[in-house]
Amino acid sequence: MNELKELTKAEEQIMQQLWEMGGGFVKDIMEQLPEPKPAYNTVSTIIRILETKGFVGHEAFGKSHRYLPKIQKEEYKKLITGKLLHNYFNNSATSMLSFFLEEKKMDVKELDEIMQIINKNR
């Protein structure tokens, strides 16, 4: 398979639904999307793009297709966090953690949980 590419916001929204559902038909995916819902053809086109990018596969049921994630959420999460760390924090997890603390995106309880993880992995 080709190297994983970052998804657009619309593609990521569809993938989030597919990961949560484990797969589904276009109508099933649409039911899960928030209002205002995109047009059926829009969702169908995005899914075909995701299939071209290697993120989605399908099972054929006559003329209908049930779409399934080919890339697991964890794999995509690694790609995105790696790019975030590299592009915005010079590959420094310390800088990234500092940023989240300074921006109040993390509270003391979460920091304690991180310290427990650090201590566990020493």
Side-chain angles (χ1 to χ4, degrees), residues 43-57:
V43 175
S44 182
T45 298
I46 293 169
I47 290 172
R48 284 195 303 276
I49 291 167
L50 287 166
E51 197 166 18
T52 301
K53 287 183 171 183
F55 279 82
V56 173

Side-chain angles (χ1 to χ4, degrees), residues 15 18 47 50-52 54-58 67-71:
M15 280 307 299
L18 280 171
I47 290 172
L50 287 166
E51 197 166 18
T52 301
F55 279 82
V56 173
H58 73 267
Y67 295 95
L68 304 159
K70 286 176 70 176
I71 302 299

